[in-house]
Amino acid sequence: MRILVIEDERKVAEFVARGLRDQRFAVDVVNDGQAGWEMASTCNYDLVILDLMLPGLNGLEILKRIRRRGSQVPVLVLTARAETAEKVANFEAGADDYLTKPFAFDELLVRVKALLRRGSPERASLVRIGDLEIDRQKQQARRAGKRIELTPKEYSLLEYLAAHAGRVISRTMIIEHVWDESFQGLTNIVDVYVRHLRSKVDDPHPIKLIRTVRGVGYSISDEGET
Ligand code: CA
């Protein structure tokens, strides 16, 4: 899950980003409106956290532009202003939720999780693929009832593949959703991580769930190969 934070108060931006990264989200931060709009319009985010008062381009204008291009990405608006009129304008422009500063991180997290669930109704907390079970609440995976020890990145990769089970996912899609903008390497990092994931998820079992689609990417499904 990749989140864009557009917030010019660096302390707030860092506080939000740090907390979300601890929760295993991939987070990009920008501190001005113009850059924020550019990021929002060029990358494929799962959620945008948007401050209203921004240098360059204000939050309301960014929100309108996001919706004008037809994007349904959930947008959580942050603001110091609590006036009702402002709130109405933001909801009308397409904000999904609203948080008035200052806020506790836990409050933000509850809203972020709720918006991400709303964005994808199929997002069940327990995902089963054959004898593989992924518990999104606990961020744990089991196969044949046995716990698989995964690093945070391996877990995120597995969860992302599993959320699109049966579909072929390209390396670029994986990079966009599992890594964040600070990642400057090559897409073959994905191959390295998939190899690690396979050694843990598939190697000990006769049926292989993770499949390579040559020249395209990867797919996970219970119609695996033996
Ligand atoms: Ca601001």
Side-chain angles (χ1 to χ4, degrees):
M1 288 282 152
R2 185 170 172 184
I3 298 177
L4 175 63
V5 178
I6 309 175
E7 164 64 83
D8 62 320
E9 280 173 69
R10 283 164 198 269
K11 268 176 147 175
V12 177
E14 277 317 304
F15 158 76
V16 168
R18 205 179 319 119
L20 290 172
R21 286 184 184 127
D22 284 347
Q23 297 290 320
R24 302 183 179 183
F25 291 104
V27 184
D28 294 331
V29 177
V30 279
N31 302 116
D32 87 276
Q34 192 57 44
W37 162 242
E38 278 159 23
M39 295 284 286
S41 57
T42 51
C43 302
N44 197 357
Y45 289 99
D46 299 291
L47 179 87
V48 176
I49 297 177
L50 178 65
D51 182 37
L52 284 185
M53 298 285 280
L54 291 164
L57 197 63
N58 72 51
L60 189 58
E61 181 55 31
I62 295 172
L63 180 57
K64 285 179 181 163
R65 291 188 184 190
I66 288 173
R67 294 304 179 229
R68 226 181 282 144
R69 50 189 290 275
S71 167
Q72 297 297 311
V73 63
V75 176
L76 172 60
V77 166
L78 299 183
T79 184
R81 300 178 294 185
E83 295 97 305
T84 317
E86 294 285 343
K87 281 192 187 180
V88 171
N90 285 296
F91 280 118
E92 278 176 354
D96 295 277
D97 202 355
Y98 209 93
L99 198 55
T100 304
K101 290 188 254 185
F103 52 84
F105 181 76
D106 286 349
E107 195 183 350
L108 175 89
L109 186 61
V110 165
R111 287 165 193 246
V112 163
K113 286 185 172 172
L115 288 174
L116 289 171
R117 268 197 305 274
R118 204 196 295 172
S120 47
E122 77 282 12
R123 215 179 128 79
S125 69
L126 197 66
V127 180
R128 283 197 185 82
I129 298 161
D131 59 355
L132 174 69
E133 269 186 11
I134 299 159
D135 186 330
R136 286 168 149 160
Q137 221 74 50
K138 294 187 187 146
Q139 304 197 323
Q140 286 177 1
R142 293 175 175 275
R143 187 151 182 200
K146 199 166 166 275
R147 169 92 180 265
I148 306 168
E149 296 296 337
L150 298 171
T151 65
K153 267 292 179 252
E154 289 164 357
Y155 174 81
S156 299
L157 174 60
L158 180 62
E159 193 196 77
Y160 185 69
L161 288 173
H164 303 86
R167 284 169 49 192
V168 181
I169 303 300
S170 71
R171 288 172 182 79
T172 308
M173 285 171 74
I174 293 171
I175 287 281
E176 284 187 359
H177 287 269
V178 179
W179 275 266
D180 58 32
E181 214 221 352
S182 58
F183 175 73
Q184 298 290 342
L186 298 165
T187 53
N188 66 12
I189 186 81
V190 173
D191 303 331
V192 173
Y193 272 84
V194 170
R195 208 178 307 138
H196 293 165
L197 199 55
R198 275 187 160 141
S199 74
K200 295 178 178 182
V201 173
D202 276 342
D203 285 1
H205 301 273
I207 294 175
K208 313 301 178 194
L209 302 175
I210 301 169
R211 199 161 55 94
T212 304
V213 182
R214 208 168 282 280
V216 186
Y218 295 98
S219 150
I220 191 167
S221 79
D222 59 359
E223 291 148 34
E225 294 159 347
T226 46

